[in-house]
Amino acid sequence: MSWKPPPRRSRHSRGFVHGLLAVAATASAIVPLQAQESGSGPIRSRDSPLIITRGWLPVASVTMAFPTSKGTHREALLVQAGDAALLEAIRETMADQPVRVTYDSDATGRYFVATAAPEVVESVLGAMRRAARTTLPTRLVEDAVSALRSDLVFRGELPRSRFDRVMDAHLRGEGGAPGGGAAVAPADSAGLAAEITTGTPAARWGAPTWVVVGSEEALAADELRPPPLLVAVDAPARPPEPLLTQLPSDAVTRWVGSAFRFPPRTTLLEASFVRLLLEESLERRRDPDLFEFDTEIDALGRLVVRLSTSADASGSWETRLDETIRRLGSEDGGVRLDQLLPPVHSHWSRELAPAPGAGRAAAEALLRGATDLQAAALTQSAANPPTAERLKAVARGMTLAIRVVYGSS
């Protein structure tokens, strides 16, 4: 396929960066990435957006991210209701503009992503800033708490909810009682609305992280080679034995949660590729006994895998999971990475290609402590994926840290 030059940019897209820089300057100073790296300009404050520009994107995106709360179960309910109200407040504010606002969360952060036409990005950024700094409307908060209360009544004591509470407690380092704690009763949620409306989202959760992705010639920062962002820095002096918990239940389904440590010096990019390789290896089998299969890299840099199966298949799937990780790192008789890497690379490229995906990836990296250059480099990493040899080395060094099995025996 022959290369084609990018299409001529419109007047709006040519002014994309200049307009955003002007908006950012009203809050604090912001300079191009290469100036920050060289020390020739002031460091971007947290309330100014990291701007990532590309020449081929038809739309722009604004990502506002808060770190995931690691507190109590009740605090998680405050997050859930407060985020739902904030999402609706943002949508109402921009109802008359060509904007789509979505929400997602993982073990690292909570992400409000607005996808918009380039000419309205400045106003979108301003509107999202104002929403984060303004007390949420009581009407929206009460609606969000009411929906949460209904959800608690319906799902609070379901086996899957019990399993998630137990697994999350172990991930936080709180083994606790075998039951993992009861769900907050509907009556206990009565004070949530009053607590949420006592302050602004930014006051409660801290200044959000901002990323703006849009259409413009790339900044010169791509030529710089920032150090990779690590998810595993040092190995413990003596790795502890894995924490194994089995909880009986009357449910006919069994849920298995596993957390694996990555070896020292594993980068976020390498960890992401190992996660995708694991998914490609296991999910493509279309096993009818596998009901759910979810993976993520948590805030502490561990690979967390949650799956549910029929009771009879649970043991074989635990073994299959461990064996697949072992075979990913095996030199002889292991997984054929030459067959798995092309679809994994394609999946990674598709995630980073659209503006919302690039903004989400950069925001997650920033929440993990990345510099601006490291976050920007991650959004361009599809052009330089990890080598098969390096991915084998990472998989070979992975160790099981936590396993929780919940369900019928």
Side-chain angles (χ1 to χ4, degrees):
M1 183 174 68
S2 60
W3 178 85
K4 294 182 180 180
R8 184 182 299 275
R9 295 187 304 277
S10 68
R11 174 174 56 84
H12 293 302
S13 64
R14 285 200 302 271
F16 176 81
V17 170
H18 298 94
L20 279 176
L21 291 179
V23 171
T26 63
S28 56
I30 182 171
V31 294
L33 299 180
Q34 64 269 30
Q36 297 178 38
E37 177 71 8
S38 64
S40 61
I43 298 299
R44 176 182 64 86
S45 76
R46 187 173 180 181
D47 198 44
S48 293
L50 166 63
I51 297 176
I52 298 174
T53 56
R54 292 176 175 173
W56 63 88
L57 294 177
V59 296
S61 73
V62 178
T63 301
M64 176 176 68
F66 292 97
T68 294
S69 170
K70 302 178 181 63
T72 63
H73 182 61
R74 190 174 192 281
E75 186 171 305
L77 297 179
L78 282 171
V79 168
Q80 186 176 338
D83 283 2
L86 177 55
L87 178 64
E88 288 306 311
I90 295 172
R91 285 173 171 168
E92 286 190 359
T93 300
M94 297 183 290
D96 60 343
Q97 299 191 57
V99 180
R100 177 174 179 263
V101 187
T102 58
Y103 174 85
D104 198 8
S105 64
D106 59 20
T108 302
R110 300 126 59 198
Y111 310 93
F112 299 81
V113 182
T115 305
E119 59 266 26
V120 300
V121 168
E122 296 173 32
S123 62
V124 169
L125 177 61
M128 294 177 73
R129 272 209 183 104
R130 288 190 295 274
R133 296 170 177 170
T134 304
T135 302
L136 294 170
T138 301
R139 162 181 60 86
L140 296 182
V141 173
E142 289 178 347
D143 287 347
V145 172
S146 177
L148 175 62
R149 187 178 295 116
S150 298
D151 186 64
L152 289 175
V153 171
F154 177 70
R155 291 194 309 121
E157 292 301 333
L158 291 178
R160 171 60 194 264
S161 298
R162 288 175 175 269
F163 162 72
D164 282 335
R165 290 199 299 274
V166 174
M167 185 65 187
D168 291 342
H170 281 302
L171 291 173
R172 292 193 302 266
E174 304 167 359
V184 174
D188 295 334
S189 64
L192 292 181
E195 189 168 346
I196 292 170
T197 54
T198 56
T200 69
R204 176 175 295 278
W205 309 118
T209 293
W210 298 94
V211 180
V212 175
V213 183
S215 179
E216 183 71 30
E217 288 182 352
L219 296 174
D222 347 352
E223 298 178 0
L224 300 173
R225 305 291 292 186
L229 176 62
L230 302 179
V231 295
V233 182
D234 299 313
R238 184 177 180 180
E241 291 295 316
L243 176 63
L244 305 177
T245 302
Q246 288 193 320
L247 299 172
S249 167
D250 295 334
V252 295
T253 298
R254 296 190 80 183
W255 288 265
V256 180
S258 305
F260 298 89
R261 299 185 193 90
F262 288 104
R265 313 303 296 175
T266 300
T267 70
L268 177 59
L269 181 61
E270 292 164 349
S272 299
F273 264 71
V274 169
R275 178 181 68 82
L276 293 175
L277 283 169
L278 183 66
E279 289 184 357
E280 183 69 18
S281 300
L282 292 177
E283 286 198 296
R284 65 176 180 166
R285 299 189 183 190
R286 308 290 183 186
D287 191 321
D289 286 323
L290 181 64
F291 305 149
E292 300 171 277
F293 186 84
D294 298 308
T295 67
E296 66 178 349
I297 301 167
D298 75 357
L300 297 181
R302 298 169 296 190
L303 174 63
V304 179
V305 182
R306 303 179 198 231
L307 59 88
S308 63
T309 70
S310 62
D312 294 339
S314 174
S316 63
W317 265 99
E318 290 176 49
T319 302
R320 187 179 298 181
L321 173 62
D322 297 340
E323 181 66 12
T324 299
I325 291 178
R326 187 195 69 77
R327 294 180 66 233
L328 283 173
S330 175
E331 295 292 348
D332 301 314
V335 174
R336 292 286 303 274
L337 290 190
D338 58 334
Q339 296 177 356
L340 293 179
L341 274 176
V344 165
H345 188 197
S346 177
H347 180 99
W348 186 248
S349 298
R350 290 195 304 272
E351 282 192 9
L352 297 181
R360 160 72 185 265
E364 179 183 346
L366 291 172
L367 289 176
R368 289 181 181 274
T371 65
D372 287 356
L373 281 177
Q374 288 174 321
L378 183 68
T379 67
Q380 301 167 8
S381 59
N384 295 287
T387 65
E389 291 74 18
R390 177 57 189 158
L391 293 173
K392 280 182 174 291
V394 170
R396 193 159 50 246
M398 293 173 65
T399 55
L400 178 66
I402 297 170
R403 173 153 291 157
V404 173
V405 181
Y406 185 95
S408 60
S409 57

